[in-house]
Amino acid sequence: MHSVTLQAPAKVNYRLDVVGRRPDGYHDLRMIMQQVNLCDEITISRSVTPGIRVSCGAAHVPDGEENIAWKAARALLELSGADTGIEVHITKRIPVAAGLGGGSSDCATVLQGLNDLLELGLSRERLMEIGVRLGADVPFFLFGTTARAEGIGELLTPLAAIPSLWVVLVNPNVPVSTAWVYRNLQLTRKEPLAKLPDSFDDVAALCAVLSNDLESVTIPAFPVIGEIKELLRSLGAAAAMMSGSGPTVFGLFVEEAAARAAADAIGHQQPGWFAVAVETL
């Protein structure tokens, strides 16, 4: 096998609690993370020309060593000791720097693809150990199922019983820096965190736990995020919330037709925005 093409899915955060700051500069988090079928497409090939080459062509996505996919390829190529070149081409469909985990998913997919392409036989747990050094969300995409994530995101517990839903993703194309969000977050929680269920019987049970501490920073600075939440609810979403550090907002729908109608309506109202209906995985 000399080449493999894989799908790298996006994610949304049904829950994002910031527990506290760590001495290493990261934050301890508690999250519920869900993959959706909006995917980047990644082709990984072996090459007779030495070195690692990453190409994408999308705006604000670096080619070469600054791309997290390049770092993933280097990690596994060095581990393998193989005398081969690696070429990675990324077709971007997930908005960049949008709170949807696109870069982390690309990284995880390259780790999985090269594990197969180079016949390394590394376990999922070993890939997750490598991945967390590259990005805090990378282990989740290697984990492969809906999960409660703790620590910086690397401590994962599967959540098997969770309803399948349609999700409308709306990104207003305003840049929001994750580093800026966390730098400006005020940790004011005094009460202990409420215990989260291990399963959710229906969409109402899931909606009851939706929360994102980072909205306290982003919505005052970018009121459009709050406006999108209200817009999605007015179009029939059972609930709406910002994903990750934003600016993408997601709305939850039970019916496909309602989700597609909402995405179409927003696309017509705001043609400069990214709006799409997707399914949970």
Short mmCIF file of all heavy atoms in Angstrom, two decimals, residues 64-109:
data_model
loop_
_atom_site.label_atom_id
_atom_site.label_comp_id
_atom_site.label_asym_id
_atom_site.label_seq_id
_atom_site.Cartn_x
_atom_site.Cartn_y
_atom_site.Cartn_z
N GLY A 64 3.60 22.75 4.99
CA GLY A 64 4.91 22.52 5.58
C GLY A 64 4.90 22.39 7.09
O GLY A 64 3.90 22.01 7.71
N GLU A 65 6.03 22.77 7.71
CA GLU A 65 6.31 22.44 9.10
C GLU A 65 5.37 23.08 10.11
O GLU A 65 5.26 22.61 11.24
CB GLU A 65 7.76 22.81 9.44
CG GLU A 65 8.79 22.06 8.63
CD GLU A 65 10.22 22.40 9.02
OE1 GLU A 65 10.41 22.95 10.13
OE2 GLU A 65 11.13 22.11 8.23
N GLU A 66 4.69 24.17 9.74
CA GLU A 66 3.78 24.83 10.68
C GLU A 66 2.43 24.13 10.77
O GLU A 66 1.63 24.43 11.65
CB GLU A 66 3.58 26.29 10.26
CG GLU A 66 4.83 27.13 10.38
CD GLU A 66 5.45 27.08 11.77
OE1 GLU A 66 4.70 27.29 12.74
OE2 GLU A 66 6.65 26.81 11.87
N ASN A 67 2.18 23.20 9.87
CA ASN A 67 0.91 22.47 9.87
C ASN A 67 0.98 21.31 10.86
O ASN A 67 1.95 20.55 10.86
CB ASN A 67 0.59 21.97 8.46
CG ASN A 67 -0.84 21.49 8.33
OD1 ASN A 67 -1.28 20.60 9.03
ND2 ASN A 67 -1.56 22.10 7.40
N ILE A 68 -0.02 21.17 11.70
CA ILE A 68 -0.01 20.10 12.71
C ILE A 68 0.03 18.72 12.05
O ILE A 68 0.55 17.76 12.63
CB ILE A 68 -1.22 20.24 13.66
CG1 ILE A 68 -1.08 19.32 14.88
CG2 ILE A 68 -2.53 20.03 12.93
CD1 ILE A 68 -2.15 19.55 15.94
N ALA A 69 -0.50 18.61 10.83
CA ALA A 69 -0.43 17.34 10.11
C ALA A 69 1.02 16.98 9.78
O ALA A 69 1.40 15.80 9.80
CB ALA A 69 -1.27 17.41 8.84
N TRP A 70 1.84 18.00 9.48
CA TRP A 70 3.26 17.76 9.23
C TRP A 70 3.93 17.22 10.50
O TRP A 70 4.74 16.28 10.44
CB TRP A 70 3.94 19.07 8.80
CG TRP A 70 5.37 18.91 8.33
CD1 TRP A 70 5.79 18.78 7.04
CD2 TRP A 70 6.55 18.87 9.16
NE1 TRP A 70 7.16 18.66 7.00
CE2 TRP A 70 7.66 18.71 8.29
CE3 TRP A 70 6.79 18.95 10.52
CZ2 TRP A 70 8.97 18.64 8.75
CZ3 TRP A 70 8.09 18.87 10.99
CH2 TRP A 70 9.16 18.72 10.11
N LYS A 71 3.59 17.79 11.63
CA LYS A 71 4.16 17.34 12.90
C LYS A 71 3.75 15.91 13.21
O LYS A 71 4.55 15.12 13.75
CB LYS A 71 3.74 18.28 14.02
CG LYS A 71 4.27 19.71 13.82
CD LYS A 71 3.70 20.68 14.84
CE LYS A 71 4.17 22.10 14.54
NZ LYS A 71 3.58 23.10 15.46
N ALA A 72 2.52 15.54 12.87
CA ALA A 72 2.07 14.16 13.07
C ALA A 72 2.87 13.21 12.19
O ALA A 72 3.30 12.13 12.63
CB ALA A 72 0.59 14.05 12.76
N ALA A 73 3.07 13.61 10.93
CA ALA A 73 3.83 12.77 10.01
C ALA A 73 5.27 12.60 10.48
O ALA A 73 5.83 11.49 10.44
CB ALA A 73 3.79 13.37 8.61
N ARG A 74 5.87 13.69 10.95
CA ARG A 74 7.25 13.59 11.45
C ARG A 74 7.34 12.64 12.64
O ARG A 74 8.27 11.83 12.73
CB ARG A 74 7.77 14.96 11.85
CG ARG A 74 9.22 14.93 12.37
CD ARG A 74 9.70 16.27 12.84
NE ARG A 74 8.93 16.76 13.97
CZ ARG A 74 9.16 17.91 14.59
NH1 ARG A 74 10.15 18.70 14.18
NH2 ARG A 74 8.43 18.29 15.61
N ALA A 75 6.38 12.73 13.56
CA ALA A 75 6.41 11.89 14.76
C ALA A 75 6.41 10.41 14.39
O ALA A 75 7.19 9.62 14.94
CB ALA A 75 5.23 12.22 15.67
N LEU A 76 5.55 10.01 13.45
CA LEU A 76 5.48 8.59 13.10
C LEU A 76 6.61 8.16 12.18
O LEU A 76 7.09 7.04 12.27
CB LEU A 76 4.13 8.26 12.48
CG LEU A 76 2.95 8.17 13.43
CD1 LEU A 76 1.87 7.25 12.88
CD2 LEU A 76 3.33 7.71 14.82
N LEU A 77 7.06 9.06 11.31
CA LEU A 77 8.18 8.71 10.43
C LEU A 77 9.45 8.50 11.25
O LEU A 77 10.21 7.54 11.01
CB LEU A 77 8.37 9.80 9.38
CG LEU A 77 9.32 9.47 8.22
CD1 LEU A 77 8.84 8.24 7.47
CD2 LEU A 77 9.43 10.67 7.27
N GLU A 78 9.69 9.37 12.23
CA GLU A 78 10.86 9.19 13.10
C GLU A 78 10.74 7.91 13.91
O GLU A 78 11.72 7.19 14.10
CB GLU A 78 11.01 10.39 14.03
CG GLU A 78 11.47 11.66 13.32
CD GLU A 78 11.59 12.84 14.28
OE1 GLU A 78 11.14 12.72 15.44
OE2 GLU A 78 12.14 13.88 13.85
N LEU A 79 9.54 7.61 14.37
CA LEU A 79 9.33 6.40 15.17
C LEU A 79 9.56 5.14 14.33
O LEU A 79 10.11 4.15 14.81
CB LEU A 79 7.91 6.40 15.73
CG LEU A 79 7.56 5.34 16.77
CD1 LEU A 79 8.39 5.51 18.04
CD2 LEU A 79 6.08 5.42 17.12
N SER A 80 9.17 5.19 13.07
CA SER A 80 9.29 4.01 12.20
C SER A 80 10.71 3.76 11.75
O SER A 80 11.10 2.60 11.54
CB SER A 80 8.41 4.20 10.95
OG SER A 80 8.99 5.15 10.05
N GLY A 81 11.50 4.83 11.61
CA GLY A 81 12.84 4.67 11.06
C GLY A 81 12.84 4.34 9.58
O GLY A 81 13.88 3.99 9.01
N ALA A 82 11.68 4.45 8.92
CA ALA A 82 11.56 4.08 7.51
C ALA A 82 12.28 5.10 6.62
O ALA A 82 12.27 6.30 6.89
CB ALA A 82 10.09 4.00 7.10
N ASP A 83 12.92 4.59 5.56
CA ASP A 83 13.61 5.44 4.60
C ASP A 83 12.65 5.75 3.46
O ASP A 83 12.72 5.17 2.37
CB ASP A 83 14.86 4.73 4.08
CG ASP A 83 15.66 5.61 3.12
OD1 ASP A 83 15.46 6.84 3.17
OD2 ASP A 83 16.45 5.06 2.33
N THR A 84 11.72 6.65 3.73
CA THR A 84 10.70 6.98 2.74
C THR A 84 10.29 8.43 2.90
O THR A 84 10.44 9.01 3.99
CB THR A 84 9.46 6.07 2.90
OG1 THR A 84 8.53 6.34 1.87
CG2 THR A 84 8.77 6.29 4.25
N GLY A 85 9.80 9.02 1.84
CA GLY A 85 9.19 10.33 1.94
C GLY A 85 7.70 10.19 2.18
O GLY A 85 7.10 9.14 1.91
N ILE A 86 7.10 11.25 2.70
CA ILE A 86 5.67 11.25 2.99
C ILE A 86 5.05 12.51 2.38
O ILE A 86 5.56 13.62 2.58
CB ILE A 86 5.39 11.22 4.51
CG1 ILE A 86 5.94 9.94 5.13
CG2 ILE A 86 3.89 11.37 4.78
CD1 ILE A 86 5.27 8.67 4.67
N GLU A 87 3.96 12.33 1.65
CA GLU A 87 3.21 13.45 1.11
C GLU A 87 1.80 13.43 1.68
O GLU A 87 1.15 12.37 1.67
CB GLU A 87 3.17 13.39 -0.42
CG GLU A 87 4.55 13.52 -1.05
CD GLU A 87 4.51 13.52 -2.57
OE1 GLU A 87 3.40 13.35 -3.11
OE2 GLU A 87 5.57 13.67 -3.18
N VAL A 88 1.34 14.56 2.18
CA VAL A 88 0.01 14.69 2.75
C VAL A 88 -0.71 15.81 2.02
O VAL A 88 -0.21 16.93 1.95
CB VAL A 88 0.06 15.01 4.27
CG1 VAL A 88 -1.35 15.18 4.82
CG2 VAL A 88 0.81 13.93 5.03
N HIS A 89 -1.88 15.51 1.46
CA HIS A 89 -2.70 16.56 0.86
C HIS A 89 -4.02 16.64 1.61
O HIS A 89 -4.70 15.63 1.81
CB HIS A 89 -2.98 16.32 -0.62
CG HIS A 89 -3.82 17.42 -1.20
ND1 HIS A 89 -3.34 18.69 -1.41
CD2 HIS A 89 -5.14 17.45 -1.56
CE1 HIS A 89 -4.31 19.46 -1.90
NE2 HIS A 89 -5.41 18.74 -1.98
N ILE A 90 -4.37 17.86 2.05
CA ILE A 90 -5.58 18.10 2.83
C ILE A 90 -6.57 18.91 2.00
O ILE A 90 -6.25 20.01 1.53
CB ILE A 90 -5.26 18.87 4.13
CG1 ILE A 90 -4.22 18.12 4.97
CG2 ILE A 90 -6.53 19.10 4.94
CD1 ILE A 90 -3.67 18.92 6.13
N THR A 91 -7.75 18.35 1.79
CA THR A 91 -8.86 19.10 1.19
C THR A 91 -9.73 19.60 2.33
O THR A 91 -10.40 18.81 3.00
CB THR A 91 -9.68 18.21 0.24
OG1 THR A 91 -8.82 17.71 -0.79
CG2 THR A 91 -10.81 19.01 -0.39
N LYS A 92 -9.68 20.91 2.58
CA LYS A 92 -10.37 21.48 3.73
C LYS A 92 -11.86 21.70 3.44
O LYS A 92 -12.23 22.31 2.45
CB LYS A 92 -9.76 22.83 4.13
CG LYS A 92 -8.41 22.75 4.81
CD LYS A 92 -8.43 22.00 6.12
CE LYS A 92 -9.16 22.74 7.21
NZ LYS A 92 -9.13 21.97 8.50
N ARG A 93 -12.68 21.17 4.31
CA ARG A 93 -14.12 21.44 4.29
C ARG A 93 -14.59 21.99 5.65
O ARG A 93 -15.64 22.59 5.73
CB ARG A 93 -14.90 20.17 3.93
CG ARG A 93 -14.56 19.63 2.54
CD ARG A 93 -15.47 18.52 2.10
NE ARG A 93 -15.12 18.07 0.76
CZ ARG A 93 -14.40 16.97 0.51
NH1 ARG A 93 -13.99 16.21 1.52
NH2 ARG A 93 -14.12 16.61 -0.73
N ILE A 94 -13.80 21.75 6.69
CA ILE A 94 -14.10 22.27 8.03
C ILE A 94 -13.53 23.68 8.12
O ILE A 94 -12.35 23.89 7.82
CB ILE A 94 -13.46 21.38 9.12
CG1 ILE A 94 -13.95 19.93 8.99
CG2 ILE A 94 -13.78 21.92 10.52
CD1 ILE A 94 -13.18 18.95 9.87
N PRO A 95 -14.33 24.67 8.52
CA PRO A 95 -13.79 26.02 8.67
C PRO A 95 -12.58 26.05 9.60
O PRO A 95 -12.51 25.28 10.57
CB PRO A 95 -14.97 26.81 9.25
CG PRO A 95 -16.18 26.06 8.82
CD PRO A 95 -15.77 24.62 8.81
N VAL A 96 -11.63 26.94 9.29
CA VAL A 96 -10.37 27.02 10.04
C VAL A 96 -10.55 27.88 11.28
O VAL A 96 -11.26 28.91 11.25
CB VAL A 96 -9.27 27.61 9.12
CG1 VAL A 96 -7.96 27.77 9.87
CG2 VAL A 96 -9.09 26.71 7.89
N ALA A 97 -9.92 27.46 12.40
CA ALA A 97 -9.96 28.22 13.65
C ALA A 97 -11.39 28.56 14.04
O ALA A 97 -11.73 29.70 14.33
CB ALA A 97 -9.11 29.49 13.55
N ALA A 98 -12.24 27.52 14.05
CA ALA A 98 -13.68 27.74 14.18
C ALA A 98 -14.28 27.07 15.42
O ALA A 98 -15.49 27.11 15.61
CB ALA A 98 -14.39 27.22 12.94
N GLY A 99 -13.46 26.42 16.25
CA GLY A 99 -13.99 25.70 17.40
C GLY A 99 -14.53 24.33 17.04
O GLY A 99 -15.23 23.70 17.84
N LEU A 100 -14.19 23.83 15.84
CA LEU A 100 -14.69 22.54 15.36
C LEU A 100 -13.61 21.47 15.32
O LEU A 100 -13.88 20.34 14.90
CB LEU A 100 -15.31 22.70 13.97
CG LEU A 100 -16.53 23.63 13.91
CD1 LEU A 100 -16.95 23.85 12.46
CD2 LEU A 100 -17.68 23.07 14.73
N GLY A 101 -12.40 21.79 15.73
CA GLY A 101 -11.34 20.78 15.86
C GLY A 101 -10.75 20.30 14.56
O GLY A 101 -10.16 19.21 14.53
N GLY A 102 -10.87 21.07 13.49
CA GLY A 102 -10.39 20.59 12.20
C GLY A 102 -8.92 20.24 12.17
O GLY A 102 -8.53 19.18 11.65
N GLY A 103 -8.07 21.09 12.73
CA GLY A 103 -6.63 20.81 12.73
C GLY A 103 -6.30 19.58 13.55
O GLY A 103 -5.49 18.74 13.13
N SER A 104 -6.92 19.44 14.71
CA SER A 104 -6.68 18.28 15.56
C SER A 104 -7.16 17.00 14.89
O SER A 104 -6.51 15.95 14.98
CB SER A 104 -7.39 18.44 16.91
OG SER A 104 -6.83 19.51 17.64
N SER A 105 -8.29 17.08 14.18
CA SER A 105 -8.80 15.91 13.48
C SER A 105 -7.87 15.52 12.33
O SER A 105 -7.60 14.33 12.10
CB SER A 105 -10.21 16.20 12.95
OG SER A 105 -10.77 15.04 12.38
N ASP A 106 -7.36 16.52 11.59
CA ASP A 106 -6.40 16.23 10.54
C ASP A 106 -5.17 15.53 11.11
O ASP A 106 -4.66 14.56 10.54
CB ASP A 106 -5.97 17.53 9.84
CG ASP A 106 -7.09 18.19 9.06
OD1 ASP A 106 -8.15 17.57 8.88
OD2 ASP A 106 -6.90 19.35 8.64
N CYS A 107 -4.69 16.02 12.24
CA CYS A 107 -3.53 15.43 12.90
C CYS A 107 -3.80 13.97 13.27
O CYS A 107 -2.99 13.08 12.99
CB CYS A 107 -3.19 16.25 14.14
SG CYS A 107 -1.83 15.61 15.14
N ALA A 108 -4.94 13.72 13.90
CA ALA A 108 -5.28 12.36 14.31
C ALA A 108 -5.40 11.43 13.10
O ALA A 108 -4.97 10.27 13.15
CB ALA A 108 -6.60 12.36 15.10
N THR A 109 -5.96 11.96 12.03
CA THR A 109 -6.15 11.14 10.82
C THR A 109 -4.81 10.79 10.19
O THR A 109 -4.62 9.67 9.70
CB THR A 109 -7.05 11.89 9.83
OG1 THR A 109 -8.31 12.15 10.47
CG2 THR A 109 -7.30 11.09 8.58
#
